[in-house]
Amino acid sequence: MSSNGGAHHESDETTSFVLQPPAPRPPVPHPQNPYAAPAPAPDPASAPGPAPALGPGAAPEPGAGRLIAGRYRLLARLGHGGMGTVWRARDETVDRDVAVKEPRVPDHLPERERANAFERMRREARAAARLDHPAVVTVHDVAVVDGQPWIVMELVQGRSLGDALREGTLDAREAARTGLEVLGALEAAHASGVLHRDVKPDNILLGRHGRIVLTDFGIAQIEGETSLTDTGGFVGSPEFIAPERVLGRRAGPASDLWSLGVVLYAATEGVSPFRRSNTPATLQSVLNAEPAPPTAAPGPLAEAVTGLLRKDPAHRPDATRVRALLTAAAAPPAPEPTREVRTEPGPAAAPRRRPGRRARLGLGAVAVAAAAAAYLLAARPFAGPLPDGWQRHEERDVAATLAVPAGYQRAAPDRKTDRTHWVSYSDLSGSIRVVLTLMPRSEDSGHRIKDSAAAQMYDDNGTFEQSGDSSLDMPHNPRTAPRESTYRGRKAAENTVAYVTDDSQDPLPRELRILYYRSASGDLYKLVVGYPGKGDFTERGRDVAREAIANLDIGRP
């Protein structure tokens, strides 16, 4: 166990923390979450390391010195929560330090609920003990004292990820490495028929020598065993619970992977994506809110997080795909190329055949193609199957295949009078609109196309800020979230724009999701999905935007 024992908070507030960017950047806690509360002051009793020496006349901690089951001497309290108190203890039989979880159940609880609590602790021990993985805390023993189970575990020297995030966020490589270790623990658990059901930063321990451990299987569900529920209680930490569990549907491995996605988002973005001021509001945000696209760690890590946070578990990437993305994100940057110095043989040496320039170029092309193919396999966005009720449309004038919901109405320019390249689809109400525009390089006589997708996005973003967009009834200076991304392994860019229309008679909130992509031939593609910024159509519009971007196929037909 860790210094805080992975303990649960006892209030109805979600288990969150003040997240700040890593030093030396200035602290900006929860930049997009107005409900975040300051982190509690550290508890001196929860500090890692050996128990502090007692000064003259100082009283020992209540319970310290007690001998459990004739061998475990309690030394100092490490942490506590709703399920119990975690102690640092000495196993006097084998002379080693261990972590011991003391059951803590209020005396006023009915006997049945007390029995359920004790059974849950026994189940925690069974769930962890059946797993053989270095990222799962090891259970040594379950000592029964007065009918109550005390769980004896390895003592992981270090602190929780939750404690670390109170000091600052993780960079992409560190977050990906942490995610890989937790993913390995979850894969081992799922292979053994165990669902953790409470993956969160406070239950991820950062030990010595880079070790990362998933702990606290206190509410784990073991396949084949009957379920335990708390009367009037909610099992798990609300902001990390998958939507299907909130709805009371059957949980599966994808539910634990959702929680991992929330952890990675919070660890890199500096904000807990679904945390609100109380539990009901938090659960509503899990079901309905769409967090801002991750921007702090673009590339494979952002792709993994975005995929894991899909509301429908059937559309989330599986563990194999997540592992590939996290491995790519955790990889060190490629080393700088070095120049090879060759010494030509002297006249007496046998001549050595060297490939000609054309052959060398051919070999180089093969190597580049192989590397590109490998990257595309690892970096291709996870779109999953086309959603039910969607259709693909081959649009020759924009050289792409566009996916939209069935029944959307198509519009396109009249090629007799309009030489622009675009196609538009909208629902019958006109509230949600999908527009794909192609700007061919060969027709760019005015040099409007920028050198990259990101440059085009930032140029458009500057126009939005300075003058808005009259064609969209957009006033100047809307709220934007530009970021660089990838499309099919190539550089792309995205922007999310929120504004209130400048229609004096009927101003309405609107939101745009825009994808920019510049093909190898220099053609620029812009996919714009617009929808209401508030109301029943907002979440539907965001779903349409996400699926339209994920299923866009440029270059076909």
Side-chain angles (χ1 to χ4, degrees):
M1 285 297 293
S2 72
S3 58
N4 66 359
H8 297 281
H9 294 264
E10 297 177 87
S11 69
D12 66 351
E13 286 288 331
T14 53
T15 53
S16 188
F17 29 77
V18 171
L19 298 175
Q20 300 178 356
R25 294 186 296 182
V28 187
H30 288 285
Q32 300 173 8
N33 191 341
Y35 304 104
D43 182 356
S46 66
L54 298 175
E61 247 182 311
R66 182 180 176 188
L67 189 65
I68 302 300
R71 62 182 291 182
Y72 306 110
R73 182 77 64 184
L74 304 184
L75 301 178
R77 184 171 64 95
L78 296 177
H80 65 87
M83 288 290 293
T85 299
V86 179
W87 292 85
R88 184 190 196 94
R90 167 70 62 171
D91 183 349
E92 296 184 345
T93 300
V94 295
D95 194 27
R96 68 176 172 188
D97 282 353
V98 293
V100 177
K101 178 181 281 190
E102 172 189 8
R104 192 180 70 164
V105 179
D107 294 333
H108 63 79
L109 282 184
E111 184 59 32
R112 179 178 178 180
E113 293 187 27
R114 291 172 58 83
N116 276 353
F118 295 150
E119 177 57 28
R120 187 171 292 112
M121 291 193 69
R122 294 187 186 94
R123 187 166 293 188
E124 173 185 358
R126 289 198 298 273
R130 68 192 293 178
L131 305 180
D132 181 17
H133 193 277
V136 176
V137 68
T138 302
V139 173
H140 297 311
D141 190 12
V142 177
V144 179
V145 179
D146 297 330
Q148 301 182 12
W150 293 59
I151 303 177
V152 182
M153 297 161 283
E154 65 170 317
L155 181 67
V156 179
Q157 303 278 5
R159 58 178 179 167
S160 73
L161 176 61
D163 289 334
L165 293 181
R166 292 186 179 99
E167 299 177 1
T169 54
L170 306 184
D171 62 32
R173 288 182 59 198
E174 188 178 6
R177 191 182 76 82
T178 301
L180 281 170
E181 293 299 314
V182 176
L183 178 64
L186 291 176
E187 287 177 308
H190 298 160
S192 298
V194 176
L195 298 179
H196 189 280
R197 302 202 302 168
D198 200 18
V199 178
K200 62 182 181 181
D202 285 341
N203 287 341
I204 299 171
L205 311 182
L206 311 178
R208 293 178 176 176
H209 312 300
R211 187 182 175 204
I212 297 168
V213 179
L214 178 64
T215 186
D216 205 343
F217 284 76
I219 62 172
Q221 178 179 322
I222 304 177
E223 188 176 24
E225 295 195 5
T226 57
S227 63
L228 289 172
T229 58
D230 286 328
T231 303
F234 196 93
V235 179
S237 305
E239 63 192 291
F240 297 98
I241 292 177
E244 60 270 20
R245 288 192 55 213
V246 175
L247 295 172
R249 297 172 183 167
R250 182 179 179 83
S255 304
D256 279 345
L257 294 182
W258 161 282
S259 303
L260 176 58
V262 179
V263 169
L264 292 175
Y265 187 106
T268 54
E269 294 298 308
V271 57
S272 183
F274 303 111
R275 184 177 190 263
R276 300 297 183 264
S277 59
N278 55 61
T279 296
T282 297
L283 297 179
Q284 282 294 328
S285 71
V286 168
L287 291 175
N288 301 314
E290 194 70 35
T295 59
L301 182 58
E303 184 181 333
V305 172
T306 301
L308 290 174
L309 294 188
R310 291 197 170 193
K311 305 293 186 186
D312 185 349
H315 288 169
R316 292 174 205 150
D318 60 15
T320 301
R321 176 61 179 161
V322 175
R323 177 168 293 280
L325 291 171
L326 294 183
T327 299
E336 292 293 327
T338 57
R339 300 183 62 183
E340 182 179 358
V341 178
R342 294 179 178 270
T343 302
E344 294 296 331
R352 182 167 52 185
R353 292 178 59 87
R354 299 181 64 191
R357 181 175 182 273
R358 181 175 300 178
R360 293 199 302 273
L361 289 176
L363 291 174
V366 171
V368 170
Y375 179 80
L376 286 174
L377 287 175
R380 183 181 177 91
F382 181 88
L386 198 65
D388 293 339
W390 279 57
Q391 292 180 345
R392 288 188 172 91
H393 300 271
E394 295 183 352
E395 301 292 345
R396 296 187 180 279
D397 195 45
V398 291
T401 298
L402 186 61
V404 296
Y408 271 35
Q409 302 298 299
R410 182 182 184 275
D414 183 350
R415 300 301 292 160
K416 295 180 180 179
T417 59
D418 189 346
R419 305 306 299 174
T420 58
H421 304 266
W422 60 269
V423 63
S424 170
Y425 286 86
S426 64
D427 71 319
L428 293 177
S429 71
S431 298
I432 302 176
R433 185 174 298 275
V434 182
V435 182
L436 178 61
T437 302
L438 166 63
M439 298 171 61
R441 186 69 172 176
S442 60
E443 300 177 12
D444 185 33
S445 57
H447 302 289
R448 294 182 301 156
I449 301 178
K450 303 303 177 184
D451 292 336
S452 68
Q456 191 74 47
M457 174 194 64
Y458 288 121
D459 184 71
D460 285 359
N461 196 67
T463 300
F464 294 155
E465 292 176 348
Q466 294 174 16
S467 58
D469 189 324
S470 59
S471 66
L472 298 170
D473 293 330
M474 180 197 298
H476 72 282
N477 201 27
R479 189 171 72 252
T480 64
R483 69 184 184 94
E484 298 181 29
S485 62
T486 59
Y487 168 81
R488 300 293 194 264
R490 293 178 59 88
K491 292 181 178 180
E494 295 184 38
N495 200 353
T496 302
V497 184
Y499 63 97
V500 177
T501 62
D502 55 10
D503 186 343
S504 60
Q505 300 296 321
D506 188 20
L508 296 173
R510 294 288 292 175
E511 192 168 291
L512 304 177
R513 180 90 179 269
I514 310 173
L515 170 71
Y516 296 84
Y517 172 71
R518 192 170 183 269
S519 68
S521 61
D523 298 338
L524 180 74
Y525 285 84
K526 185 191 301 186
L527 178 62
V528 181
V529 184
Y531 44 88
K534 288 185 179 180
D536 295 340
F537 272 77
T538 303
E539 291 305 320
R540 174 59 176 165
R542 290 171 178 168
D543 288 342
V544 170
R546 182 170 56 249
E547 294 293 347
I549 291 174
N551 290 284
L552 176 64
D553 200 354
I554 291 174
R556 297 181 182 181

